[in-house]
Amino acid sequence: MQIRNATAIAHPNIALIKYWGNRDHALRLPANSSLSMNLAALATTTTVEFISDLGTDRVVIDGAEATASARERVVAHLDRVRALASLNTRAIVTSHNNFPAGTGLASSASAFAALSVAACAAAGLALSTDALSRLARRGSGSACRSVPSGFVLWNTCDEDDCSFGRTLAPPYHWDLRDVIAIVESAHKATGSTEGHAIAGTSPFQVARVASTPERLERCRAAILAHDFLALADVIEQDALAMHAVMMTSVPSLLYWRPATLAVMQAVRAWRAAGLAVAFTIDAGPNVHCICPAEFSTQVERLVRAIPGVERVLVSGVGEGSHLVS
Ligand code: DP6
């Protein structure tokens, strides 16, 4: 029996300019470019073992056998790696998230970033960061942004070979924090993949996509210049543009809860009173409160006091995906 194994770690990322909708669903080529920051405090660690006499792939996530649909998605990704490496061997994939299960933060981004890095190393493939990011994108679009380090820009384009994430600035460039207000822990009713598929049914998706380059440029410039108020404006605008599309899709996706709105309103009031903090929200009800590190203790304390906030996680800006063994 021959075993080839590798372990990789990856962080989820929070999009400051959102990816929503695809120009090619099968290849996960996004409708628009997006920009994110990796979250250092949250991590997925994944081991891939290719074992010569294994009859079928096995996938274990946080100590439990993966559901059929999760397993299928992982096996499809292993197949991509096997095709690149001309390998036939089945594998055992063991994945562990350090963020508590049931926080609504289970992230396909860190999952497919860690899986890509570990599976390629175990298969003996030495891919560049660009190529690993491209591969991770096929598993989950946002995963391509968890491969490079720090603040990451994912450019849209029409071809598979030019759509991947690249570092805009390293983690130490700007010590921002994401104070995550968890207002509901349940698994989301409609996942991102189904959401991307119906984005085009909203009359606002065309306008959102057309206006994204301008927001992306403002966001990029704000990050490079450490201009928090410019960043605050543009990330809130972009998140709301995405949620406007979600709400007006067919079927309509309404992810917010009363506590979601309570945190959004509070963030706006705190900012008006001089506290540097802004919100962004992914495909769920939890609110990511972005602030410079020096304000994170105060923001965390304020967020915890809002009724309906079940728990709070705080993260700085993280590195890219890498091998640990
Ligand atoms: C709202 O990358 O999770 O978080 O490619 O189908 O796996 P799939 O979708 P996913 O979509 C992320 C959507 C988002 C915005 C973002 O992260 O840019």
Side-chain angles (χ1 to χ4, degrees):
M1 184 172 73
Q2 207 201 348
I3 303 180
R4 297 159 71 177
N5 69 298
T7 299
I9 188 161
H11 303 287
N13 63 77
I14 179 68
L16 302 172
I17 298 295
K18 307 295 185 185
Y19 149 49
W20 197 246
N22 287 312
R23 54 183 64 190
D24 183 319
H25 291 297
L27 288 174
R28 286 192 154 85
L29 295 173
N32 60 274
S33 301
S34 55
L35 204 170
S36 61
M37 65 183 217
N38 288 337
L39 299 175
L42 280 52
T44 300
T45 306
T46 299
T47 299
V48 176
E49 302 168 273
F50 286 109
I51 303 176
S52 57
D53 56 4
L54 206 62
T56 180
D57 292 314
R58 247 195 94 191
V59 181
V60 180
I61 302 171
D62 288 330
E65 215 60 50
T67 59
S69 63
R71 181 185 175 279
E72 199 180 307
R73 207 165 155 182
V74 170
V75 170
H77 206 60
L78 288 172
D79 286 342
R80 290 180 190 112
V81 175
R82 280 188 281 251
L84 285 173
S86 306
L87 191 72
N88 251 326
T89 321
R90 303 294 109 183
I92 299 179
V93 175
T94 315
S95 194
H96 176 76
N97 295 303
N98 80 342
F99 38 101
T103 47
L105 295 174
S107 174
S108 59
S110 51
F112 282 96
L115 177 64
S116 300
V117 173
C120 283
L125 287 169
L127 299 189
S128 65
T129 305
D130 288 353
L132 280 169
S133 172
R134 223 180 96 198
L135 172 67
R137 189 200 81 229
R138 299 289 306 278
S140 174
S142 57
C144 81
R145 297 188 312 237
S146 281
V147 173
S149 187
F151 297 87
V152 176
L153 184 57
W154 172 19
N155 264 322
T156 183
C157 73
D158 283 325
E159 305 295 332
D160 167 58
D161 60 358
C162 53
S163 187
F164 49 82
R166 276 228 174 124
T167 296
L168 168 70
Y172 56 81
H173 167 74
W174 198 0
D175 194 5
L176 291 180
R177 295 291 146 90
D178 183 0
V179 179
I180 309 168
I182 295 162
V183 306
E184 192 182 84
S185 309
H187 223 68
K188 53 192 177 196
T190 308
S192 300
T193 304
E194 296 101 301
H196 294 300
I198 60 165
T201 62
S202 164
F204 302 141
Q205 172 71 347
V206 170
R208 189 194 69 83
V209 170
S211 57
T212 301
E214 183 273 328
R215 286 191 300 280
L216 187 86
E217 184 42 39
R218 261 197 290 147
C219 187
R220 200 181 72 88
I223 289 169
L224 294 178
H226 303 96
D227 183 343
F228 189 82
L229 288 183
L231 184 77
D233 273 349
V234 75
I235 70 172
E236 290 190 358
Q237 215 176 22
D238 192 81
L240 292 172
M242 179 181 73
H243 281 270
V245 168
M246 291 165 160
M247 289 175 193
T248 51
S249 298
V250 183
S252 166
L253 301 175
L254 183 53
Y255 287 111
W256 299 354
R257 297 287 173 269
T260 310
L261 201 53
V263 177
M264 293 161 74
Q265 299 279 22
V267 164
R268 288 252 168 116
W270 300 331
R271 191 158 79 248
L275 182 62
V277 57
F279 64 75
T280 184
I281 307 165
D282 273 347
N286 301 324
V287 186
H288 295 251
C289 304
I290 310 293
C291 63
E294 60 264 39
F295 304 120
S296 75
T297 311
Q298 190 183 355
V299 170
E300 184 185 349
R301 187 173 45 76
L302 288 165
V303 167
R304 277 188 199 283
I306 295 179
V309 173
E310 291 174 4
R311 60 193 301 173
V312 177
L313 298 176
V314 181
S315 178
V317 187
E319 300 287 347
S321 314
H322 52 90
L323 286 171
V324 287
S325 67

